[in-house]
Amino acid sequence: MRLFTAVEPPPEAVVQLSSTVHTGRELFPELRWTSPEDWHLTLVFLGDVPDELVPDLTEGLGRAVAGHHPLSLEVDGWGTFPERSRRSSVLWAGFTGDTEPLTDLAVDLREAARGVGLHVTDMPYVPHLTVARSRPARDLRRTLHELTVPQGPTWRVGEVHLVESVPGRGPRYRTVRTWPLPWKTHPDRTSERSTS
Ligand code: ATP
Ligand code: MG
C-alpha cells in the first residue's frame, strides 16, 4: 500500500488557513486546490510498501517517534515546488517554530524506513502543506503574491500518523496508525514524586 507519515493540523488552523486559501481558489480556479479535510504536513513519503514489510516498518517508525517530543509550529508564508520557477507544480504553506525538531523527527523516520529496506529521499526536508497543484506546471509566483500571509494559530503537535494514500474515488487518505510524541520527563519532578 501507498504510505506516508504525517502530522495533522488542529481544527482552528484549518479554519484559519481555509479563509486565506479562499481568495486563491476564487482568483485561480484553474489550479487543483486541495480539500481542507485532506490537509496534512508530510514527514516522510514512503511510497508503495509491500504488505510483508508493513509490520517491521510500523515497529521501526514507532520506535523513531518515541525518541522525539511534542512541538509547536505556525504556518508562515507560501512557497512552490520547484521554488522561484516559471514552471512550478505545487503551491504550499510553509512553517516556522520548531522546524528543527520537526526535521530531526523526519530524518529519524526516513532512517527507520531505510532500516526495513525502503528507498526514501535524501533531499533536504522542507516542511510544507500542499494547498494547490498545477498540471501542467506553470508560473505560480503571481498566485503566491496574491495570497495574504496567514497569521497563527499555533499548531501543538502531539502525535504522528502513518497514513495510507487510497487510490480511486472516496476518501483520499486513511490513518493506519497513530503514535503520541512522548513528553519530556523531568528528572527532578520524578524524584519529587518518588520521595513524597
Ligand atoms: P495525488 O498524487 O493523487 O495527487 P497526493 O500527492 O496527495 O495525491 P500521494 O502522492 O500518495 O498523494 O502523496 C502523499 C503525501 O506525500 C502528499 O503530501 C504528497 O505531497 C507527499 N509526497 C508524494 N510524493 C512525494 C515525494 N516524492 N517526496 C516527498 N513527498 C511526497
Ligand atoms: Mg502525489
Coordinates of all heavy atoms in Angstrom, one line a residue, residues 50-92:
P50 N 5.5 -3.0 0.2 CA 5.0 -4.4 0.2 C 4.3 -4.7 1.5 O 4.9 -4.4 2.6 CB 6.2 -5.2 -0.1 CG 7.3 -4.3 -0.6 CD 6.9 -2.9 0.0
D51 N 3.2 -5.4 1.5 CA 2.5 -5.8 2.7 C 3.3 -6.4 3.7 O 3.2 -6.2 4.9 CB 1.3 -6.7 2.4 CG 0.2 -6.0 1.7 OD1 0.2 -4.8 1.6 OD2 -0.8 -6.7 1.2
E52 N 4.3 -7.3 3.3 CA 5.0 -8.1 4.3 C 6.0 -7.2 5.0 O 6.5 -7.6 6.1 CB 5.8 -9.2 3.6 CG 6.8 -8.9 2.5 CD 6.2 -8.8 1.1 OE1 4.9 -8.6 1.0 OE2 6.9 -8.9 0.2
L53 N 6.3 -6.0 4.5 CA 7.2 -5.1 5.2 C 6.5 -4.2 6.3 O 7.1 -3.6 7.1 CB 7.9 -4.1 4.2 CG 9.0 -4.7 3.4 CD1 9.7 -3.5 2.7 CD2 10.1 -5.4 4.3
V54 N 5.1 -4.1 6.2 CA 4.4 -3.2 7.0 C 4.6 -3.4 8.5 O 4.8 -2.4 9.2 CB 2.9 -3.1 6.6 CG1 2.1 -2.3 7.5 CG2 2.8 -2.6 5.2
P55 N 4.5 -4.6 9.0 CA 4.7 -4.8 10.5 C 6.1 -4.3 11.0 O 6.1 -3.5 11.9 CB 4.6 -6.3 10.7 CG 3.8 -6.8 9.5 CD 4.2 -5.9 8.4
D56 N 7.2 -4.6 10.3 CA 8.5 -4.2 10.7 C 8.6 -2.6 10.5 O 9.2 -2.0 11.3 CB 9.6 -4.8 9.9 CG 9.8 -6.3 10.4 OD1 9.2 -6.7 11.4 OD2 10.6 -7.0 9.7
L57 N 8.1 -2.2 9.4 CA 8.1 -0.7 9.2 C 7.4 0.0 10.3 O 7.9 1.0 10.9 CB 7.4 -0.4 7.9 CG 7.2 1.1 7.6 CD1 8.5 1.8 7.4 CD2 6.3 1.3 6.4
T58 N 6.2 -0.5 10.7 CA 5.4 0.2 11.7 C 6.2 0.2 13.1 O 6.2 1.2 13.7 CB 4.1 -0.5 11.9 OG1 3.5 -0.6 10.6 CG2 3.1 0.2 12.8
E59 N 6.8 -0.9 13.3 CA 7.6 -1.0 14.6 C 8.7 0.0 14.6 O 8.9 0.7 15.6 CB 8.1 -2.4 14.8 CG 8.6 -2.7 16.2 CD 9.3 -4.0 16.2 OE1 8.9 -5.0 15.6 OE2 10.4 -4.0 16.9
G60 N 9.4 0.1 13.5 CA 10.6 1.0 13.4 C 10.2 2.4 13.5 O 10.8 3.2 14.1
L61 N 9.1 2.8 12.8 CA 8.6 4.1 12.8 C 8.1 4.5 14.3 O 8.4 5.6 14.7 CB 7.4 4.3 11.9 CG 7.7 4.2 10.4 CD1 6.4 4.2 9.6 CD2 8.7 5.2 9.9
G62 N 7.5 3.6 14.9 CA 7.0 3.8 16.3 C 8.2 4.1 17.2 O 8.1 5.0 18.1
R63 N 9.3 3.3 17.0 CA 10.5 3.5 17.9 C 11.1 4.9 17.6 O 11.5 5.6 18.5 CB 11.5 2.4 17.6 CG 11.9 1.6 18.8 CD 12.9 0.6 18.6 NE 12.4 -0.5 17.8 CZ 12.9 -0.9 16.6 NH1 14.0 -0.4 16.1 NH2 12.4 -1.9 16.0
A64 N 11.1 5.3 16.3 CA 11.6 6.6 16.0 C 10.8 7.7 16.6 O 11.3 8.7 17.2 CB 11.7 6.8 14.5
V65 N 9.5 7.6 16.6 CA 8.6 8.7 17.1 C 8.9 8.8 18.7 O 8.9 9.9 19.2 CB 7.1 8.4 16.9 CG1 6.2 9.3 17.6 CG2 6.8 8.4 15.4
A66 N 9.1 7.6 19.3 CA 9.3 7.6 20.8 C 10.5 8.4 21.2 O 10.6 8.7 22.4 CB 9.3 6.1 21.2
G67 N 11.4 8.6 20.3 CA 12.6 9.4 20.6 C 12.5 10.9 20.5 O 13.5 11.6 20.5
H68 N 11.3 11.4 20.2 CA 11.0 12.8 20.0 C 9.9 13.3 20.9 O 9.3 12.5 21.7 CB 10.7 13.1 18.5 CG 11.9 12.7 17.6 ND1 12.7 13.7 17.2 CD2 12.3 11.6 17.2 CE1 13.7 13.1 16.5 NE2 13.5 11.8 16.5
H69 N 9.7 14.6 20.9 CA 8.8 15.2 21.8 C 7.8 16.1 21.1 O 8.0 16.5 20.0 CB 9.6 16.0 22.9 CG 10.6 15.1 23.6 ND1 10.2 14.1 24.4 CD2 11.9 15.1 23.5 CE1 11.3 13.5 24.9 NE2 12.4 14.1 24.3
P70 N 6.7 16.5 21.8 CA 5.7 17.4 21.2 C 6.4 18.7 20.8 O 7.3 19.1 21.4 CB 4.7 17.6 22.3 CG 4.8 16.4 23.2 CD 6.2 16.0 23.2
L71 N 5.8 19.3 19.8 CA 6.4 20.5 19.3 C 5.4 21.5 18.8 O 4.2 21.1 18.7 CB 7.5 20.2 18.2 CG 7.2 19.2 17.1 CD1 6.6 19.9 16.0 CD2 8.4 18.5 16.8
S72 N 5.8 22.7 18.5 CA 4.9 23.8 18.1 C 5.3 24.3 16.8 O 6.5 24.6 16.5 CB 4.8 24.9 19.1 OG 4.4 24.5 20.4
L73 N 4.3 24.5 15.9 CA 4.5 25.1 14.6 C 3.5 26.2 14.3 O 2.4 26.2 14.9 CB 4.4 24.0 13.5 CG 5.3 22.8 13.6 CD1 4.8 21.7 12.6 CD2 6.7 23.2 13.3
E74 N 3.9 27.1 13.4 CA 2.9 28.0 12.9 C 3.1 28.2 11.4 O 4.2 28.1 10.9 CB 3.1 29.4 13.5 CG 2.4 29.6 14.8 CD 2.9 30.8 15.5 OE1 3.0 31.9 14.9 OE2 3.1 30.7 16.7
V75 N 2.0 28.3 10.7 CA 2.0 28.5 9.2 C 2.6 29.9 9.0 O 2.3 30.8 9.7 CB 0.7 28.4 8.6 CG1 0.7 28.9 7.1 CG2 0.2 26.9 8.6
D76 N 3.5 30.0 8.1 CA 4.3 31.2 7.9 C 4.6 31.4 6.4 O 5.7 30.9 6.0 CB 5.5 31.2 8.8 CG 6.4 32.4 8.6 OD1 5.8 33.5 8.5 OD2 7.6 32.3 8.5
G77 N 3.7 31.9 5.6 CA 4.1 32.3 4.2 C 3.9 31.1 3.3 O 3.4 30.0 3.6
W78 N 4.2 31.4 2.0 CA 3.9 30.5 0.9 C 5.2 30.1 0.1 O 6.1 30.9 0.1 CB 2.9 31.1 0.0 CG 1.7 31.6 0.7 CD1 1.4 32.9 1.1 CD2 0.6 30.8 1.1 NE1 0.2 32.9 1.7 CE2 -0.3 31.6 1.7 CE3 0.3 29.4 0.9 CZ2 -1.5 31.2 2.2 CZ3 -0.9 29.0 1.4 CH2 -1.8 29.8 2.1
G79 N 5.1 29.0 -0.5 CA 6.2 28.6 -1.4 C 5.7 27.7 -2.5 O 4.6 27.3 -2.6
T80 N 6.7 27.4 -3.4 CA 6.3 26.5 -4.5 C 7.4 25.4 -4.7 O 8.5 25.6 -4.3 CB 6.2 27.3 -5.8 OG1 7.4 27.9 -6.1 CG2 5.1 28.4 -5.8
F81 N 7.0 24.4 -5.3 CA 8.0 23.3 -5.8 C 7.8 23.3 -7.3 O 6.7 23.1 -7.8 CB 7.7 22.0 -5.3 CG 8.0 21.8 -3.8 CD1 7.2 21.0 -3.0 CD2 9.2 22.4 -3.3 CE1 7.5 20.8 -1.7 CE2 9.5 22.2 -1.9 CZ 8.6 21.4 -1.1
P82 N 8.9 23.4 -8.2 CA 10.2 23.9 -7.8 C 10.0 25.4 -7.3 O 9.1 26.1 -7.8 CB 11.0 23.8 -9.0 CG 10.2 23.0 -10.0 CD 8.8 23.1 -9.6
E83 N 11.0 25.8 -6.5 CA 10.9 27.2 -6.0 C 11.3 28.2 -7.0 O 12.2 27.9 -7.9 CB 11.8 27.3 -4.8 CG 11.2 26.5 -3.6 CD 12.0 26.7 -2.3 OE1 11.9 27.9 -1.8 OE2 12.7 25.8 -1.9
R84 N 10.7 29.4 -7.0 CA 11.1 30.5 -7.8 C 11.3 30.1 -9.3 O 12.3 30.5 -10.0 CB 12.4 31.2 -7.3 CG 12.2 32.0 -6.1 CD 13.4 32.7 -5.6 NE 14.4 31.7 -5.1 CZ 14.3 31.1 -3.9 NH1 13.4 31.5 -3.0 NH2 15.2 30.2 -3.5
S85 N 10.3 29.4 -9.8 CA 10.5 28.8 -11.2 C 9.3 29.4 -12.0 O 8.3 29.7 -11.5 CB 10.4 27.3 -11.1 OG 10.3 26.8 -12.4
R86 N 9.5 29.3 -13.3 CA 8.4 29.7 -14.2 C 7.5 28.5 -14.4 O 6.4 28.6 -15.0 CB 9.0 30.1 -15.6 CG 8.6 31.6 -15.9 CD 9.3 32.1 -17.1 NE 10.7 32.4 -16.9 CZ 11.5 32.7 -17.8 NH1 11.2 32.6 -19.1 NH2 12.8 33.0 -17.5
R87 N 8.0 27.3 -13.9 CA 7.2 26.1 -14.1 C 7.1 25.3 -12.8 O 7.9 24.4 -12.5 CB 7.8 25.2 -15.2 CG 7.8 25.9 -16.5 CD 8.5 25.1 -17.6 NE 7.9 23.8 -17.8 CZ 6.8 23.7 -18.6 NH1 6.3 24.7 -19.1 NH2 6.3 22.5 -18.8
S88 N 6.2 25.7 -11.9 CA 6.0 25.1 -10.6 C 4.7 24.3 -10.7 O 3.8 24.6 -11.3 CB 5.9 26.1 -9.5 OG 7.1 26.8 -9.4
S89 N 4.7 23.2 -9.9 CA 3.5 22.3 -9.9 C 2.8 22.2 -8.5 O 1.7 21.7 -8.5 CB 3.9 20.9 -10.4 OG 4.9 20.4 -9.7
V90 N 3.5 22.7 -7.5 CA 2.9 22.6 -6.2 C 3.0 24.0 -5.5 O 4.1 24.6 -5.5 CB 3.7 21.6 -5.3 CG1 3.1 21.5 -3.9 CG2 3.6 20.2 -6.0
L91 N 1.9 24.4 -4.9 CA 1.8 25.6 -4.1 C 1.6 25.2 -2.7 O 0.7 24.4 -2.4 CB 0.7 26.5 -4.6 CG 0.4 27.8 -3.8 CD1 1.5 28.8 -3.9 CD2 -1.0 28.4 -4.2
W92 N 2.4 25.7 -1.7 CA 2.3 25.2 -0.4 C 2.5 26.3 0.7 O 3.0 27.4 0.4 CB 3.4 24.1 -0.1 CG 4.8 24.3 -0.6 CD1 5.3 23.8 -1.7 CD2 5.8 25.1 0.1 NE1 6.7 24.2 -1.8 CE2 7.0 24.9 -0.7 CE3 5.9 25.8 1.3 CZ2 8.2 25.5 -0.3 CZ3 7.2 26.4 1.7 CH2 8.3 26.2 0.8

